[in-house]
Amino acid sequence: MTHEHPELLGRQPIVHVSCVRHTYPDKTSVHLCGLDFVVAAGERVVVLGPNGCGKSTLLYHILGLLAPEEGEVRVFGVDPSRQFSKIRERVGVLLQDADEQIIAPTVWDDVSFSPRNYGYTSAEVHRKVAHVLERMGIAHLKHKVCHYLSGGEKRKVALAGALVLEPELLVLDEPFEGLDPASRVDLMNLLNDLHARRGVSMVLATHDVNAVTAMADRVYLLLRGGEIVAQGPPADIFRDPGRLRRSNLEPPVLAELFQRLEELGVPLGRPETVEAAARALAERCGRPR
C-alpha cells in the first residue's frame, strides 16, 4: 500500500519504507505497513508507539542492520542493507543504550573512531573531533575514561561520535530514556539547535508523548505488530487522545485536558505547550496575557 504525502511534493524524500516485514528468530513478526514511512530532507520525524510495536525494527531497517523479507527500504536512494557503505558518512545514529555505542576507552578515542577509520588525515581528525566536542559542550571531557561518565555525559559522547562526520540524517532510538529532567532538556536543546543551524534531518523513535511536540515536524503512530496507523503534525496526532489510548499510549495531559474542556462546552482550542495553554485560559477569563 503506497501512501502519498502531498505536503512533501517538491521536497526531496531521503527515507522511504514501504510495507516491510521482518521475522525474528523467536518467530515474532513485525509488519511495518498501513502507511508508507517517508522522511523529507530537513525534516524532524518522530516514530511514536508503545514498547514492542516495532519502532527499533523500523530504525534498524533504515540503518541497514536488518534486511526486509518483503517490502522496500530506500535511504538516499539506495537499499541500506546492501549498499550502506555508499551512505555511511551521510547517516549518524544514537542508540538507546549509549554503553553499546561507546567502544573506546577515552572520549577522544571514541569520537575520533569513525574519521580515523574512514581515512581522514590526522589534522582532519583533530579538527573534526575538537569541533564536535566543543559544539556538544564536552571538550573538557576529552581525556576522560568513558566508563566513569554519567548517563547524560555518555549520551553526549555517543551523539558526538554520531555527528563528527556531519551527517545529513540522524537516527535516534529512545534518546531520552533514563535521563534526568535537566539532561533530557539539554539533549532536546542540542538536537533542535543542530536542526535549526544545519538543517539535519532526524528520525527519532520514542514512546514518550511529552517529548514529541518539542521534537517533531511530523509524527508516525505505530500499533503493536508494526501497523502504521496515522501520520501528521503533532497537533493532528494529539487531537484524538482516544486513538493514543487505543495505541496503548497515555495522551499528553494538555491534549486530554483541553479535549475534556471542549466536551464540557468550553472550547479553547488544542494548545500544544504550557505557555499557549496559559494564554488560552487567561483570555477565557478576560485577563490580559
Side-chain angles (χ1 to χ4, degrees):
M1 174 181 178
T2 299
H3 179 72
E4 297 295 334
H5 291 255
E7 61 273 45
L8 298 187
L9 294 178
R11 300 176 65 188
Q12 181 65 33
I14 59 172
V15 176
H16 190 170
V17 180
S18 181
C19 265
V20 160
R21 184 187 297 276
H22 182 77
T23 303
Y24 287 93
D26 66 355
K27 306 304 181 183
T28 299
S29 180
V30 177
H31 194 196
L32 295 160
C33 206
L35 303 175
D36 279 11
F37 180 82
V38 182
V39 180
E43 192 174 31
R44 298 172 304 164
V45 173
V46 166
V47 184
L48 180 63
N51 290 331
C53 71
K55 299 187 298 296
S56 294
T57 301
L58 173 61
L59 299 193
Y60 291 167
H61 279 88
I62 292 171
L63 295 169
L65 299 174
L66 294 177
E69 298 166 11
E70 59 184 66
E72 185 178 44
V73 181
R74 287 289 180 270
V75 179
F76 294 113
V78 306
D79 178 348
S81 67
R82 297 176 179 271
Q83 299 174 296
F84 192 77
S85 61
K86 291 186 176 181
I87 61 172
R88 64 184 183 181
E89 294 184 44
R90 303 176 73 180
V91 181
V93 58
L94 181 62
L95 299 175
Q96 180 176 351
D97 186 350
D99 285 319
E100 293 182 359
Q101 190 166 346
I102 295 173
I103 59 175
T106 71
V107 170
W108 183 275
D109 291 337
D110 191 79
V111 177
S112 66
F113 181 84
S114 291
R116 284 189 286 114
N117 282 272
Y118 289 173
Y120 287 85
T121 67
S122 295
E124 288 173 325
V125 170
H126 183 88
R127 179 180 59 80
K128 287 181 177 295
V129 175
H131 176 69
V132 75
L133 292 180
E134 189 66 35
R135 179 195 299 167
M136 297 295 298
I138 55 173
H140 62 290
L141 299 177
K142 63 182 179 181
H143 297 309
K144 295 290 186 181
V145 176
C146 297
H147 177 73
Y148 296 112
L149 300 176
S150 69
E153 288 171 337
K154 287 181 179 178
R155 200 69 58 96
K156 287 183 181 180
V157 171
L159 182 57
L163 296 176
V164 67
L165 295 179
E166 299 185 349
E168 300 166 54
L169 171 65
L170 188 58
V171 178
L172 308 106
D173 191 6
E174 298 284 2
F176 311 116
E177 187 77 8
L179 293 182
D180 60 64
S183 296
R184 184 173 179 274
V185 170
D186 194 22
L187 183 56
M188 282 185 177
N189 290 338
L190 281 168
L191 292 171
N192 283 329
D193 182 62
L194 180 70
H195 174 263
R197 288 190 297 106
R198 287 191 44 225
V200 175
S201 307
M202 296 183 189
V203 177
L204 187 157
T206 186
H207 63 272
D208 182 356
V209 295
N210 294 304
V212 172
T213 299
M215 296 301 305
D217 301 310
R218 179 186 310 281
V219 181
Y220 284 83
L221 183 61
L222 271 63
L223 296 181
R224 189 171 299 276
E227 183 183 1
I228 304 174
V229 294
Q231 68 85 23
D236 291 353
I237 298 298
F238 292 152
R239 194 172 298 279
D240 184 359
R243 180 171 57 186
L244 291 173
R245 288 194 181 280
R246 291 191 296 274
S247 302
N248 204 27
L249 291 169
E250 280 292 324
V253 172
L254 285 179
E256 192 157 32
L257 170 63
F258 281 85
Q259 182 193 37
R260 297 283 179 84
L261 287 171
E262 190 172 291
E263 292 169 352
L264 291 170
V266 187
L268 295 174
R270 297 296 174 87
E272 298 178 39
T273 64
V274 172
E275 291 77 10
R279 287 196 299 270
L281 290 169
E283 288 176 0
R284 179 72 180 186
C285 294
R287 297 180 180 179
R289 291 180 290 176

